Amino acid sequence: MPRSPLDPAVAARLKRNPDGLVPAIAQQYDTGEVLMLGWMDDEALHRTLTTGRCTYWSRSRREYWVKGDTSGHVQYVKSVALDCDGDTLLVKVDQVGAACHTGDRTCFDAGELPLGGSGNGREGAPA
């Protein structure tokens, strides 16, 4: 693996998948709304930390993309945290416009999946 552009202490904590990527959850900083999931490698995370704009690695296009450069729907970075296992990033952002490529506010606006048999969401919940 090439030398990481990240601080060595940060790079050492990251647990990357076989493609060298870490999932990055984007969350609206003031409301807690979960906006989207993207992927970052060391370079994308470095750019995110140093520019104040979210940079992701596009697995389909195999290139870096800065959220909002083509759509105008920018993510301004407020904070970045690494989870306890070092395998997921939480990026708190100020989202301008839609986060989803479909034009929806979040990538999770398509609807909830049904839970359990009766649909009351209580299956398996403690009594």
Side-chain angles (χ1 to χ4, degrees):
M1 181 162 125
R3 186 168 166 2
S4 174
L6 292 170
D7 176 304
V10 173
R13 291 180 57 201
L14 287 177
K15 291 185 185 159
R16 302 156 191 85
N17 73 10
D19 295 322
L21 302 173
V22 176
I25 301 165
Q27 180 182 40
Q28 178 63 33
Y29 83 99
D30 54 354
T31 65
E33 182 180 30
V34 177
L35 301 169
M36 60 173 280
L37 175 105
W39 294 90
M40 293 185 182
D41 64 3
D42 288 29
E43 179 63 29
L45 178 55
H46 172 72
R47 292 180 189 187
T48 297
L49 292 169
T50 58
T51 67
R53 298 265 314 275
C54 280
T55 300
Y56 298 100
W57 174 255
S58 171
R59 296 178 301 161
S60 60
R61 294 188 312 264
R62 311 227 21 100
E63 65 184 14
Y64 295 103
W65 57 281
V66 179
K67 183 68 174 169
D69 270 2
T70 57
S71 68
H73 300 163
V74 178
Q75 290 176 341
Y76 294 106
V77 178
K78 297 293 188 176
S79 68
V80 180
L82 188 58
D83 78 341
C84 59
D85 295 322
D87 62 3
T88 305
L89 295 162
L90 177 62
V91 185
K92 292 189 179 182
V93 302
D94 189 8
Q95 176 71 49
V96 176
C100 188
H101 71 279
T102 65
D104 285 338
R105 170 74 182 159
T106 86
C107 292
F108 301 98
D109 282 346
E112 292 184 22
L113 301 177
L115 298 175
S118 66
N120 66 11
R122 303 264 320 139
E123 286 74 21

mmCIF file with all atom_site columns, all heavy atoms in Angstrom, residues 59-83:
data_model
loop_
_atom_site.group_PDB
_atom_site.id
_atom_site.type_symbol
_atom_site.label_atom_id
_atom_site.label_alt_id
_atom_site.label_comp_id
_atom_site.label_asym_id
_atom_site.label_entity_id
_atom_site.label_seq_id
_atom_site.pdbx_PDB_ins_code
_atom_site.Cartn_x
_atom_site.Cartn_y
_atom_site.Cartn_z
_atom_site.occupancy
_atom_site.B_iso_or_equiv
_atom_site.pdbx_formal_charge
_atom_site.auth_seq_id
_atom_site.auth_comp_id
_atom_site.auth_asym_id
_atom_site.auth_atom_id
_atom_site.pdbx_PDB_model_num
ATOM 1   N N   . ARG A 1 59 ? -16.878 4.024  -6.292  1.00 0.00 ? 59 ARG A N   1
ATOM 2   C CA  . ARG A 1 59 ? -16.516 2.643  -6.634  1.00 0.00 ? 59 ARG A CA  1
ATOM 3   C C   . ARG A 1 59 ? -16.902 2.316  -8.070  1.00 0.00 ? 59 ARG A C   1
ATOM 4   O O   . ARG A 1 59 ? -16.235 1.528  -8.722  1.00 0.00 ? 59 ARG A O   1
ATOM 5   C CB  . ARG A 1 59 ? -17.187 1.659  -5.667  1.00 0.00 ? 59 ARG A CB  1
ATOM 6   C CG  . ARG A 1 59 ? -16.684 1.845  -4.242  1.00 0.00 ? 59 ARG A CG  1
ATOM 7   C CD  . ARG A 1 59 ? -17.365 0.931  -3.254  1.00 0.00 ? 59 ARG A CD  1
ATOM 8   N NE  . ARG A 1 59 ? -18.807 1.169  -3.281  1.00 0.00 ? 59 ARG A NE  1
ATOM 9   C CZ  . ARG A 1 59 ? -19.712 0.317  -2.829  1.00 0.00 ? 59 ARG A CZ  1
ATOM 10  N NH1 . ARG A 1 59 ? -19.343 -0.835 -2.315  1.00 0.00 ? 59 ARG A NH1 1
ATOM 11  N NH2 . ARG A 1 59 ? -20.983 0.616  -2.875  1.00 0.00 ? 59 ARG A NH2 1
ATOM 12  N N   . SER A 1 60 ? -17.963 2.928  -8.580  1.00 0.00 ? 60 SER A N   1
ATOM 13  C CA  . SER A 1 60 ? -18.398 2.636  -9.950  1.00 0.00 ? 60 SER A CA  1
ATOM 14  C C   . SER A 1 60 ? -17.555 3.380  -10.983 1.00 0.00 ? 60 SER A C   1
ATOM 15  O O   . SER A 1 60 ? -17.158 2.804  -11.998 1.00 0.00 ? 60 SER A O   1
ATOM 16  C CB  . SER A 1 60 ? -19.876 2.977  -10.132 1.00 0.00 ? 60 SER A CB  1
ATOM 17  O OG  . SER A 1 60 ? -20.112 4.341  -9.868  1.00 0.00 ? 60 SER A OG  1
ATOM 18  N N   . ARG A 1 61 ? -17.246 4.648  -10.715 1.00 0.00 ? 61 ARG A N   1
ATOM 19  C CA  . ARG A 1 61 ? -16.459 5.434  -11.676 1.00 0.00 ? 61 ARG A CA  1
ATOM 20  C C   . ARG A 1 61 ? -14.954 5.330  -11.433 1.00 0.00 ? 61 ARG A C   1
ATOM 21  O O   . ARG A 1 61 ? -14.165 5.779  -12.247 1.00 0.00 ? 61 ARG A O   1
ATOM 22  C CB  . ARG A 1 61 ? -16.886 6.910  -11.628 1.00 0.00 ? 61 ARG A CB  1
ATOM 23  C CG  . ARG A 1 61 ? -18.309 7.144  -12.096 1.00 0.00 ? 61 ARG A CG  1
ATOM 24  C CD  . ARG A 1 61 ? -18.652 8.626  -12.215 1.00 0.00 ? 61 ARG A CD  1
ATOM 25  N NE  . ARG A 1 61 ? -18.273 9.414  -11.070 1.00 0.00 ? 61 ARG A NE  1
ATOM 26  C CZ  . ARG A 1 61 ? -19.066 9.749  -10.059 1.00 0.00 ? 61 ARG A CZ  1
ATOM 27  N NH1 . ARG A 1 61 ? -20.323 9.347  -10.046 1.00 0.00 ? 61 ARG A NH1 1
ATOM 28  N NH2 . ARG A 1 61 ? -18.627 10.488 -9.057  1.00 0.00 ? 61 ARG A NH2 1
ATOM 29  N N   . ARG A 1 62 ? -14.589 4.787  -10.263 1.00 0.00 ? 62 ARG A N   1
ATOM 30  C CA  . ARG A 1 62 ? -13.184 4.631  -9.886  1.00 0.00 ? 62 ARG A CA  1
ATOM 31  C C   . ARG A 1 62 ? -12.436 5.969  -9.917  1.00 0.00 ? 62 ARG A C   1
ATOM 32  O O   . ARG A 1 62 ? -11.363 6.095  -10.485 1.00 0.00 ? 62 ARG A O   1
ATOM 33  C CB  . ARG A 1 62 ? -12.483 3.585  -10.749 1.00 0.00 ? 62 ARG A CB  1
ATOM 34  C CG  . ARG A 1 62 ? -13.285 2.308  -10.835 1.00 0.00 ? 62 ARG A CG  1
ATOM 35  C CD  . ARG A 1 62 ? -12.621 0.987  -10.633 1.00 0.00 ? 62 ARG A CD  1
ATOM 36  N NE  . ARG A 1 62 ? -11.381 0.864  -9.952  1.00 0.00 ? 62 ARG A NE  1
ATOM 37  C CZ  . ARG A 1 62 ? -11.239 0.487  -8.668  1.00 0.00 ? 62 ARG A CZ  1
ATOM 38  N NH1 . ARG A 1 62 ? -12.291 0.266  -7.932  1.00 0.00 ? 62 ARG A NH1 1
ATOM 39  N NH2 . ARG A 1 62 ? -10.055 0.348  -8.137  1.00 0.00 ? 62 ARG A NH2 1
ATOM 40  N N   . GLU A 1 63 ? -13.072 6.969  -9.279  1.00 0.00 ? 63 GLU A N   1
ATOM 41  C CA  . GLU A 1 63 ? -12.451 8.292  -9.185  1.00 0.00 ? 63 GLU A CA  1
ATOM 42  C C   . GLU A 1 63 ? -12.976 9.021  -7.954  1.00 0.00 ? 63 GLU A C   1
ATOM 43  O O   . GLU A 1 63 ? -14.012 8.657  -7.402  1.00 0.00 ? 63 GLU A O   1
ATOM 44  C CB  . GLU A 1 63 ? -12.734 9.113  -10.439 1.00 0.00 ? 63 GLU A CB  1
ATOM 45  C CG  . GLU A 1 63 ? -14.200 9.449  -10.633 1.00 0.00 ? 63 GLU A CG  1
ATOM 46  C CD  . GLU A 1 63 ? -14.487 10.178 -11.944 1.00 0.00 ? 63 GLU A CD  1
ATOM 47  O OE1 . GLU A 1 63 ? -13.615 10.198 -12.819 1.00 0.00 ? 63 GLU A OE1 1
ATOM 48  O OE2 . GLU A 1 63 ? -15.591 10.713 -12.074 1.00 0.00 ? 63 GLU A OE2 1
ATOM 49  N N   . TYR A 1 64 ? -12.249 10.050 -7.545  1.00 0.00 ? 64 TYR A N   1
ATOM 50  C CA  . TYR A 1 64 ? -12.678 10.868 -6.425  1.00 0.00 ? 64 TYR A CA  1
ATOM 51  C C   . TYR A 1 64 ? -13.775 11.821 -6.887  1.00 0.00 ? 64 TYR A C   1
ATOM 52  O O   . TYR A 1 64 ? -13.780 12.258 -8.031  1.00 0.00 ? 64 TYR A O   1
ATOM 53  C CB  . TYR A 1 64 ? -11.502 11.682 -5.866  1.00 0.00 ? 64 TYR A CB  1
ATOM 54  C CG  . TYR A 1 64 ? -10.437 10.804 -5.271  1.00 0.00 ? 64 TYR A CG  1
ATOM 55  C CD1 . TYR A 1 64 ? -9.266  10.542 -5.963  1.00 0.00 ? 64 TYR A CD1 1
ATOM 56  C CD2 . TYR A 1 64 ? -10.613 10.217 -4.023  1.00 0.00 ? 64 TYR A CD2 1
ATOM 57  C CE1 . TYR A 1 64 ? -8.297  9.713  -5.421  1.00 0.00 ? 64 TYR A CE1 1
ATOM 58  C CE2 . TYR A 1 64 ? -9.647  9.383  -3.482  1.00 0.00 ? 64 TYR A CE2 1
ATOM 59  C CZ  . TYR A 1 64 ? -8.492  9.134  -4.183  1.00 0.00 ? 64 TYR A CZ  1
ATOM 60  O OH  . TYR A 1 64 ? -7.545  8.317  -3.668  1.00 0.00 ? 64 TYR A OH  1
ATOM 61  N N   . TRP A 1 65 ? -14.697 12.115 -5.978  1.00 0.00 ? 65 TRP A N   1
ATOM 62  C CA  . TRP A 1 65 ? -15.704 13.138 -6.266  1.00 0.00 ? 65 TRP A CA  1
ATOM 63  C C   . TRP A 1 65 ? -15.977 13.935 -4.996  1.00 0.00 ? 65 TRP A C   1
ATOM 64  O O   . TRP A 1 65 ? -16.051 13.382 -3.904  1.00 0.00 ? 65 TRP A O   1
ATOM 65  C CB  . TRP A 1 65 ? -16.977 12.558 -6.856  1.00 0.00 ? 65 TRP A CB  1
ATOM 66  C CG  . TRP A 1 65 ? -17.691 11.502 -6.058  1.00 0.00 ? 65 TRP A CG  1
ATOM 67  C CD1 . TRP A 1 65 ? -17.369 10.183 -5.970  1.00 0.00 ? 65 TRP A CD1 1
ATOM 68  C CD2 . TRP A 1 65 ? -18.850 11.667 -5.236  1.00 0.00 ? 65 TRP A CD2 1
ATOM 69  N NE1 . TRP A 1 65 ? -18.255 9.531  -5.155  1.00 0.00 ? 65 TRP A NE1 1
ATOM 70  C CE2 . TRP A 1 65 ? -19.170 10.404 -4.698  1.00 0.00 ? 65 TRP A CE2 1
ATOM 71  C CE3 . TRP A 1 65 ? -19.655 12.757 -4.923  1.00 0.00 ? 65 TRP A CE3 1
ATOM 72  C CZ2 . TRP A 1 65 ? -20.252 10.203 -3.842  1.00 0.00 ? 65 TRP A CZ2 1
ATOM 73  C CZ3 . TRP A 1 65 ? -20.738 12.560 -4.073  1.00 0.00 ? 65 TRP A CZ3 1
ATOM 74  C CH2 . TRP A 1 65 ? -21.029 11.288 -3.541  1.00 0.00 ? 65 TRP A CH2 1
ATOM 75  N N   . VAL A 1 66 ? -16.050 15.227 -5.181  1.00 0.00 ? 66 VAL A N   1
ATOM 76  C CA  . VAL A 1 66 ? -16.356 16.140 -4.087  1.00 0.00 ? 66 VAL A CA  1
ATOM 77  C C   . VAL A 1 66 ? -17.856 16.392 -4.134  1.00 0.00 ? 66 VAL A C   1
ATOM 78  O O   . VAL A 1 66 ? -18.383 16.863 -5.145  1.00 0.00 ? 66 VAL A O   1
ATOM 79  C CB  . VAL A 1 66 ? -15.564 17.459 -4.225  1.00 0.00 ? 66 VAL A CB  1
ATOM 80  C CG1 . VAL A 1 66 ? -15.923 18.412 -3.089  1.00 0.00 ? 66 VAL A CG1 1
ATOM 81  C CG2 . VAL A 1 66 ? -14.069 17.177 -4.252  1.00 0.00 ? 66 VAL A CG2 1
ATOM 82  N N   . LYS A 1 67 ? -18.530 16.055 -3.056  1.00 0.00 ? 67 LYS A N   1
ATOM 83  C CA  . LYS A 1 67 ? -19.983 16.196 -3.005  1.00 0.00 ? 67 LYS A CA  1
ATOM 84  C C   . LYS A 1 67 ? -20.369 17.636 -3.307  1.00 0.00 ? 67 LYS A C   1
ATOM 85  O O   . LYS A 1 67 ? -19.916 18.568 -2.648  1.00 0.00 ? 67 LYS A O   1
ATOM 86  C CB  . LYS A 1 67 ? -20.494 15.777 -1.619  1.00 0.00 ? 67 LYS A CB  1
ATOM 87  C CG  . LYS A 1 67 ? -21.986 15.806 -1.471  1.00 0.00 ? 67 LYS A CG  1
ATOM 88  C CD  . LYS A 1 67 ? -22.642 14.741 -2.302  1.00 0.00 ? 67 LYS A CD  1
ATOM 89  C CE  . LYS A 1 67 ? -24.134 14.699 -2.029  1.00 0.00 ? 67 LYS A CE  1
ATOM 90  N NZ  . LYS A 1 67 ? -24.823 13.875 -2.989  1.00 0.00 ? 67 LYS A NZ  1
ATOM 91  N N   . GLY A 1 68 ? -21.169 17.805 -4.348  1.00 0.00 ? 68 GLY A N   1
ATOM 92  C CA  . GLY A 1 68 ? -21.699 19.106 -4.708  1.00 0.00 ? 68 GLY A CA  1
ATOM 93  C C   . GLY A 1 68 ? -20.986 19.804 -5.857  1.00 0.00 ? 68 GLY A C   1
ATOM 94  O O   . GLY A 1 68 ? -21.479 20.810 -6.354  1.00 0.00 ? 68 GLY A O   1
ATOM 95  N N   . ASP A 1 69 ? -19.841 19.275 -6.294  1.00 0.00 ? 69 ASP A N   1
ATOM 96  C CA  . ASP A 1 69 ? -19.122 19.947 -7.383  1.00 0.00 ? 69 ASP A CA  1
ATOM 97  C C   . ASP A 1 69 ? -19.938 20.016 -8.669  1.00 0.00 ? 69 ASP A C   1
ATOM 98  O O   . ASP A 1 69 ? -19.849 20.990 -9.398  1.00 0.00 ? 69 ASP A O   1
ATOM 99  C CB  . ASP A 1 69 ? -17.774 19.266 -7.663  1.00 0.00 ? 69 ASP A CB  1
ATOM 100 C CG  . ASP A 1 69 ? -16.653 19.855 -6.825  1.00 0.00 ? 69 ASP A CG  1
ATOM 101 O OD1 . ASP A 1 69 ? -16.916 20.758 -6.005  1.00 0.00 ? 69 ASP A OD1 1
ATOM 102 O OD2 . ASP A 1 69 ? -15.503 19.399 -6.998  1.00 0.00 ? 69 ASP A OD2 1
ATOM 103 N N   . THR A 1 70 ? -20.733 18.999 -8.959  1.00 0.00 ? 70 THR A N   1
ATOM 104 C CA  . THR A 1 70 ? -21.558 19.044 -10.173 1.00 0.00 ? 70 THR A CA  1
ATOM 105 C C   . THR A 1 70 ? -23.015 19.388 -9.864  1.00 0.00 ? 70 THR A C   1
ATOM 106 O O   . THR A 1 70 ? -23.669 20.037 -10.667 1.00 0.00 ? 70 THR A O   1
ATOM 107 C CB  . THR A 1 70 ? -21.492 17.713 -10.954 1.00 0.00 ? 70 THR A CB  1
ATOM 108 O OG1 . THR A 1 70 ? -21.897 16.655 -10.099 1.00 0.00 ? 70 THR A OG1 1
ATOM 109 C CG2 . THR A 1 70 ? -20.091 17.458 -11.463 1.00 0.00 ? 70 THR A CG2 1
ATOM 110 N N   . SER A 1 71 ? -23.514 18.974 -8.701  1.00 0.00 ? 71 SER A N   1
ATOM 111 C CA  . SER A 1 71 ? -24.933 19.199 -8.374  1.00 0.00 ? 71 SER A CA  1
ATOM 112 C C   . SER A 1 71 ? -25.191 20.511 -7.647  1.00 0.00 ? 71 SER A C   1
ATOM 113 O O   . SER A 1 71 ? -26.317 21.000 -7.638  1.00 0.00 ? 71 SER A O   1
ATOM 114 C CB  . SER A 1 71 ? -25.442 18.054 -7.489  1.00 0.00 ? 71 SER A CB  1
ATOM 115 O OG  . SER A 1 71 ? -24.821 18.107 -6.207  1.00 0.00 ? 71 SER A OG  1
ATOM 116 N N   . GLY A 1 72 ? -24.173 21.049 -6.991  1.00 0.00 ? 72 GLY A N   1
ATOM 117 C CA  . GLY A 1 72 ? -24.372 22.219 -6.146  1.00 0.00 ? 72 GLY A CA  1
ATOM 118 C C   . GLY A 1 72 ? -24.857 21.865 -4.753  1.00 0.00 ? 72 GLY A C   1
ATOM 119 O O   . GLY A 1 72 ? -25.015 22.729 -3.902  1.00 0.00 ? 72 GLY A O   1
ATOM 120 N N   . HIS A 1 73 ? -25.083 20.580 -4.495  1.00 0.00 ? 73 HIS A N   1
ATOM 121 C CA  . HIS A 1 73 ? -25.575 20.106 -3.195  1.00 0.00 ? 73 HIS A CA  1
ATOM 122 C C   . HIS A 1 73 ? -24.384 19.746 -2.310  1.00 0.00 ? 73 HIS A C   1
ATOM 123 O O   . HIS A 1 73 ? -24.043 18.589 -2.127  1.00 0.00 ? 73 HIS A O   1
ATOM 124 C CB  . HIS A 1 73 ? -26.519 18.924 -3.372  1.00 0.00 ? 73 HIS A CB  1
ATOM 125 C CG  . HIS A 1 73 ? -27.714 19.253 -4.194  1.00 0.00 ? 73 HIS A CG  1
ATOM 126 N ND1 . HIS A 1 73 ? -28.507 18.302 -4.762  1.00 0.00 ? 73 HIS A ND1 1
ATOM 127 C CD2 . HIS A 1 73 ? -28.268 20.445 -4.550  1.00 0.00 ? 73 HIS A CD2 1
ATOM 128 C CE1 . HIS A 1 73 ? -29.491 18.883 -5.434  1.00 0.00 ? 73 HIS A CE1 1
ATOM 129 N NE2 . HIS A 1 73 ? -29.356 20.183 -5.316  1.00 0.00 ? 73 HIS A NE2 1
ATOM 130 N N   . VAL A 1 74 ? -23.780 20.763 -1.756  1.00 0.00 ? 74 VAL A N   1
ATOM 131 C CA  . VAL A 1 74 ? -22.500 20.675 -1.062  1.00 0.00 ? 74 VAL A CA  1
ATOM 132 C C   . VAL A 1 74 ? -22.659 20.144 0.352   1.00 0.00 ? 74 VAL A C   1
ATOM 133 O O   . VAL A 1 74 ? -23.667 20.392 1.018   1.00 0.00 ? 74 VAL A O   1
ATOM 134 C CB  . VAL A 1 74 ? -21.852 22.080 -1.020  1.00 0.00 ? 74 VAL A CB  1
ATOM 135 C CG1 . VAL A 1 74 ? -20.545 22.074 -0.268  1.00 0.00 ? 74 VAL A CG1 1
ATOM 136 C CG2 . VAL A 1 74 ? -21.672 22.618 -2.425  1.00 0.00 ? 74 VAL A CG2 1
ATOM 137 N N   . GLN A 1 75 ? -21.631 19.413 0.818   1.00 0.00 ? 75 GLN A N   1
ATOM 138 C CA  . GLN A 1 75 ? -21.538 19.006 2.213   1.00 0.00 ? 75 GLN A CA  1
ATOM 139 C C   . GLN A 1 75 ? -20.346 19.730 2.835   1.00 0.00 ? 75 GLN A C   1
ATOM 140 O O   . GLN A 1 75 ? -19.196 19.465 2.482   1.00 0.00 ? 75 GLN A O   1
ATOM 141 C CB  . GLN A 1 75 ? -21.344 17.494 2.337   1.00 0.00 ? 75 GLN A CB  1
ATOM 142 C CG  . GLN A 1 75 ? -22.559 16.713 1.944   1.00 0.00 ? 75 GLN A CG  1
ATOM 143 C CD  . GLN A 1 75 ? -22.342 15.208 1.985   1.00 0.00 ? 75 GLN A CD  1
ATOM 144 O OE1 . GLN A 1 75 ? -21.218 14.724 1.978   1.00 0.00 ? 75 GLN A OE1 1
ATOM 145 N NE2 . GLN A 1 75 ? -23.435 14.467 2.007   1.00 0.00 ? 75 GLN A NE2 1
ATOM 146 N N   . TYR A 1 76 ? -20.636 20.648 3.768   1.00 0.00 ? 76 TYR A N   1
ATOM 147 C CA  . TYR A 1 76 ? -19.593 21.341 4.507   1.00 0.00 ? 76 TYR A CA  1
ATOM 148 C C   . TYR A 1 76 ? -19.324 20.557 5.791   1.00 0.00 ? 76 TYR A C   1
ATOM 149 O O   . TYR A 1 76 ? -20.235 20.338 6.586   1.00 0.00 ? 76 TYR A O   1
ATOM 150 C CB  . TYR A 1 76 ? -20.016 22.771 4.834   1.00 0.00 ? 76 TYR A CB  1
ATOM 151 C CG  . TYR A 1 76 ? -20.152 23.636 3.600   1.00 0.00 ? 76 TYR A CG  1
ATOM 152 C CD1 . TYR A 1 76 ? -21.406 23.990 3.118   1.00 0.00 ? 76 TYR A CD1 1
ATOM 153 C CD2 . TYR A 1 76 ? -19.029 24.077 2.907   1.00 0.00 ? 76 TYR A CD2 1
ATOM 154 C CE1 . TYR A 1 76 ? -21.534 24.783 1.986   1.00 0.00 ? 76 TYR A CE1 1
ATOM 155 C CE2 . TYR A 1 76 ? -19.155 24.866 1.763   1.00 0.00 ? 76 TYR A CE2 1
ATOM 156 C CZ  . TYR A 1 76 ? -20.413 25.208 1.316   1.00 0.00 ? 76 TYR A CZ  1
ATOM 157 O OH  . TYR A 1 76 ? -20.535 25.982 0.188   1.00 0.00 ? 76 TYR A OH  1
ATOM 158 N N   . VAL A 1 77 ? -18.101 20.138 5.985   1.00 0.00 ? 77 VAL A N   1
ATOM 159 C CA  . VAL A 1 77 ? -17.729 19.274 7.095   1.00 0.00 ? 77 VAL A CA  1
ATOM 160 C C   . VAL A 1 77 ? -17.681 20.063 8.402   1.00 0.00 ? 77 VAL A C   1
ATOM 161 O O   . VAL A 1 77 ? -17.044 21.110 8.479   1.00 0.00 ? 77 VAL A O   1
ATOM 162 C CB  . VAL A 1 77 ? -16.363 18.608 6.834   1.00 0.00 ? 77 VAL A CB  1
ATOM 163 C CG1 . VAL A 1 77 ? -15.941 17.741 8.010   1.00 0.00 ? 77 VAL A CG1 1
ATOM 164 C CG2 . VAL A 1 77 ? -16.407 17.796 5.550   1.00 0.00 ? 77 VAL A CG2 1
ATOM 165 N N   . LYS A 1 78 ? -18.378 19.537 9.408   1.00 0.00 ? 78 LYS A N   1
ATOM 166 C CA  . LYS A 1 78 ? -18.357 20.110 10.753  1.00 0.00 ? 78 LYS A CA  1
ATOM 167 C C   . LYS A 1 78 ? -17.470 19.292 11.686  1.00 0.00 ? 78 LYS A C   1
ATOM 168 O O   . LYS A 1 78 ? -16.813 19.841 12.552  1.00 0.00 ? 78 LYS A O   1
ATOM 169 C CB  . LYS A 1 78 ? -19.773 20.190 11.330  1.00 0.00 ? 78 LYS A CB  1
ATOM 170 C CG  . LYS A 1 78 ? -20.693 21.115 10.548  1.00 0.00 ? 78 LYS A CG  1
ATOM 171 C CD  . LYS A 1 78 ? -20.237 22.546 10.673  1.00 0.00 ? 78 LYS A CD  1
ATOM 172 C CE  . LYS A 1 78 ? -21.251 23.500 10.068  1.00 0.00 ? 78 LYS A CE  1
ATOM 173 N NZ  . LYS A 1 78 ? -20.875 24.899 10.262  1.00 0.00 ? 78 LYS A NZ  1
ATOM 174 N N   . SER A 1 79 ? -17.476 17.948 11.516  1.00 0.00 ? 79 SER A N   1
ATOM 175 C CA  . SER A 1 79 ? -16.614 17.074 12.321  1.00 0.00 ? 79 SER A CA  1
ATOM 176 C C   . SER A 1 79 ? -16.529 15.718 11.651  1.00 0.00 ? 79 SER A C   1
ATOM 177 O O   . SER A 1 79 ? -17.400 15.347 10.855  1.00 0.00 ? 79 SER A O   1
ATOM 178 C CB  . SER A 1 79 ? -17.137 16.927 13.756  1.00 0.00 ? 79 SER A CB  1
ATOM 179 O OG  . SER A 1 79 ? -18.360 16.206 13.767  1.00 0.00 ? 79 SER A OG  1
ATOM 180 N N   . VAL A 1 80 ? -15.475 14.988 11.988  1.00 0.00 ? 80 VAL A N   1
ATOM 181 C CA  . VAL A 1 80 ? -15.286 13.621 11.502  1.00 0.00 ? 80 VAL A CA  1
ATOM 182 C C   . VAL A 1 80 ? -14.870 12.767 12.688  1.00 0.00 ? 80 VAL A C   1
ATOM 183 O O   . VAL A 1 80 ? -13.977 13.152 13.453  1.00 0.00 ? 80 VAL A O   1
ATOM 184 C CB  . VAL A 1 80 ? -14.201 13.547 10.399  1.00 0.00 ? 80 VAL A CB  1
ATOM 185 C CG1 . VAL A 1 80 ? -14.022 12.103 9.918   1.00 0.00 ? 80 VAL A CG1 1
ATOM 186 C CG2 . VAL A 1 80 ? -14.541 14.462 9.229   1.00 0.00 ? 80 VAL A CG2 1
ATOM 187 N N   . ALA A 1 81 ? -15.534 11.625 12.853  1.00 0.00 ? 81 ALA A N   1
ATOM 188 C CA  . ALA A 1 81 ? -15.212 10.699 13.945  1.00 0.00 ? 81 ALA A CA  1
ATOM 189 C C   . ALA A 1 81 ? -15.033 9.296  13.388  1.00 0.00 ? 81 ALA A C   1
ATOM 190 O O   . ALA A 1 81 ? -15.695 8.914  12.419  1.00 0.00 ? 81 ALA A O   1
ATOM 191 C CB  . ALA A 1 81 ? -16.325 10.712 14.996  1.00 0.00 ? 81 ALA A CB  1
ATOM 192 N N   . LEU A 1 82 ? -14.162 8.559  14.024  1.00 0.00 ? 82 LEU A N   1
ATOM 193 C CA  . LEU A 1 82 ? -13.920 7.159  13.681  1.00 0.00 ? 82 LEU A CA  1
ATOM 194 C C   . LEU A 1 82 ? -14.557 6.315  14.764  1.00 0.00 ? 82 LEU A C   1
ATOM 195 O O   . LEU A 1 82 ? -14.415 6.627  15.958  1.00 0.00 ? 82 LEU A O   1
ATOM 196 C CB  . LEU A 1 82 ? -12.406 6.923  13.621  1.00 0.00 ? 82 LEU A CB  1
ATOM 197 C CG  . LEU A 1 82 ? -11.900 5.599  13.114  1.00 0.00 ? 82 LEU A CG  1
ATOM 198 C CD1 . LEU A 1 82 ? -12.396 5.321  11.694  1.00 0.00 ? 82 LEU A CD1 1
ATOM 199 C CD2 . LEU A 1 82 ? -10.374 5.589  13.145  1.00 0.00 ? 82 LEU A CD2 1
ATOM 200 N N   . ASP A 1 83 ? -15.276 5.256  14.371  1.00 0.00 ? 83 ASP A N   1
ATOM 201 C CA  . ASP A 1 83 ? -15.934 4.428  15.386  1.00 0.00 ? 83 ASP A CA  1
ATOM 202 C C   . ASP A 1 83 ? -14.917 3.633  16.194  1.00 0.00 ? 83 ASP A C   1
ATOM 203 O O   . ASP A 1 83 ? -13.722 3.621  15.890  1.00 0.00 ? 83 ASP A O   1
ATOM 204 C CB  . ASP A 1 83 ? -17.007 3.539  14.753  1.00 0.00 ? 83 ASP A CB  1
ATOM 205 C CG  . ASP A 1 83 ? -16.459 2.315  14.051  1.00 0.00 ? 83 ASP A CG  1
ATOM 206 O OD1 . ASP A 1 83 ? -15.262 2.283  13.713  1.00 0.00 ? 83 ASP A OD1 1
ATOM 207 O OD2 . ASP A 1 83 ? -17.233 1.373  13.827  1.00 0.00 ? 83 ASP A OD2 1
#
